[in-house]
Amino acid sequence: MRIHVVSDVHGRADALAGAADGADVLICLGDLILFIDYQDHGQGIFADLFGQENADRFIALRTEKRFDEARAFSRRLWASLEGDAWPHIERAVDRQYADLFAAMPSPAYLTYGNVDVPRMWGRHLRDGHHVLDGETTEIGGLRFGFVGGGLRTEYRTPYELDDEAYAAKIEAVGEVDVLCTHIPPAVPDLLYDTVARRFERGSEAILDAIHRTQPKYVLFGHVHQPLASRARIGRTECVNVGHFRARGVPHVLTV
């Protein structure tokens, strides 16, 4: 069986439509929407609402880890809009999800990324789209586990969880052949983004599960330009499946 795996789609509906070409099934590890683009500041919901100049400033503050200033700057911009901020965000997110799920091939197994809004997925799902989070399924005779979301950070993205809640989902999945998550295990080389020049948060719970259960593969995304895209821990091959927005090409897994 040939499985194509994508993560960090961030608005690439054009490439997503062909992501399963030649495959039996698609797996998507989340981060479908594009809120802000650290490579092209003129793209994403933030720039659409406030313009590239304001996106430049906001990204610069966050990159310099001046998070309090970034939040104050952001609050002033949101206050300039008519009404509360969330309706503006929700409309923009909903438009992106409509395009992305219309392009999403079927069959597909999906879990959420840290920038996704889980409650908004339901109305866009089509036949053959299977969403799993802290759950397992069989694909090609192997047991696959799926755990979505990320851990708490200064960036305060929509689907971040406390360490304990995240670990409980890993525990619920249990022993599997392939563990599919959005974030990596807590291995420094897998967490360092060479372009952003920072460590992203990885999961100690995933790392513990690898040591305890030794799945054949752990597949993830989240770190767009990792120092290392692969690492072997015992018999487990840990693989960053790639920044789909930039590459437009899925990772290929044959089982």
Side-chain angles (χ1 to χ4, degrees):
M1 171 174 270
R2 182 181 172 103
I3 301 170
H4 287 185
V5 190
V6 301
S7 184
D8 300 273
V9 176
H10 294 302
R12 280 297 305 271
D14 59 332
L16 185 61
D21 289 354
D24 298 291
V25 67
L26 178 75
I27 289 175
C28 179
L29 304 181
D31 272 11
L32 294 181
I33 65 167
L34 181 66
F35 185 75
I36 196 161
D37 192 329
Y38 281 78
Q39 292 182 304
D40 182 350
H41 300 178
Q43 300 295 313
I45 293 170
F46 193 93
D48 288 346
L49 289 171
F50 303 120
Q52 182 171 336
E53 185 175 340
N54 284 319
D56 290 341
R57 175 64 174 159
F58 184 62
I59 290 169
L61 290 170
R62 292 179 75 169
T63 302
E64 294 164 11
K65 295 183 169 57
R66 295 158 64 184
F67 296 112
D68 289 341
E69 292 176 66
R71 281 191 284 269
F73 178 66
S74 176
R75 281 196 295 270
R76 289 195 297 272
L77 291 175
W78 290 112
S80 71
L81 299 176
E82 182 179 347
D84 294 333
W86 179 247
H88 295 277
I89 298 171
E90 185 165 11
R91 284 192 293 271
V93 169
D94 197 59
R95 286 193 295 269
Q96 286 195 20
Y97 278 154
D99 291 341
L100 288 158
F101 281 102
M104 184 77 68
S106 177
Y109 294 87
L110 307 94
T111 197
Y112 310 110
N114 61 292
V115 302
D116 285 312
V117 185
R119 68 173 181 79
M120 294 181 66
W121 278 29
R123 62 179 170 268
H124 297 294
L125 295 171
R126 296 184 294 111
D127 289 345
H129 291 169
H130 310 281
V131 181
L132 299 103
D133 188 13
E135 300 164 278
T136 62
T137 192
E138 185 176 302
I139 305 172
L142 297 180
R143 188 173 178 84
F144 281 68
F146 291 80
V147 175
L151 297 172
R152 301 286 182 198
T153 69
E154 288 282 359
Y155 300 101
R156 301 183 184 180
T157 50
Y159 193 41
E160 294 183 351
L161 299 106
D162 294 333
D163 287 44
E164 296 79 7
Y166 192 89
K169 291 198 295 182
I170 295 290
E171 185 66 25
V173 164
E175 188 169 343
V176 293
D177 299 298
V178 184
L179 178 59
C180 298
T181 63
H182 178 68
I183 62 173
V187 175
D189 284 358
L190 299 176
L191 300 180
Y192 188 73
D193 190 306
T194 60
V195 173
R197 291 185 290 182
R198 68 171 184 248
F199 286 96
E200 302 290 354
R201 280 207 70 189
S203 168
E204 293 285 353
I206 297 174
L207 186 58
D208 289 345
I210 292 170
H211 287 303
R212 285 187 290 103
T213 67
Q214 289 283 282
K216 187 173 183 180
Y217 296 104
V218 174
L219 308 177
F220 52 88
H222 188 57
V223 182
H224 293 177
Q225 297 90 17
L227 182 64
S229 60
R230 289 175 176 262
R232 181 168 284 277
I233 303 171
R235 82 178 193 98
T236 301
E237 186 75 14
C238 303
V239 183
N240 185 321
V241 301
H243 181 202
F244 188 74
R245 175 170 175 77
R247 295 177 58 203
V249 177
H251 173 78
V252 177
L253 180 69
T254 303
V255 299

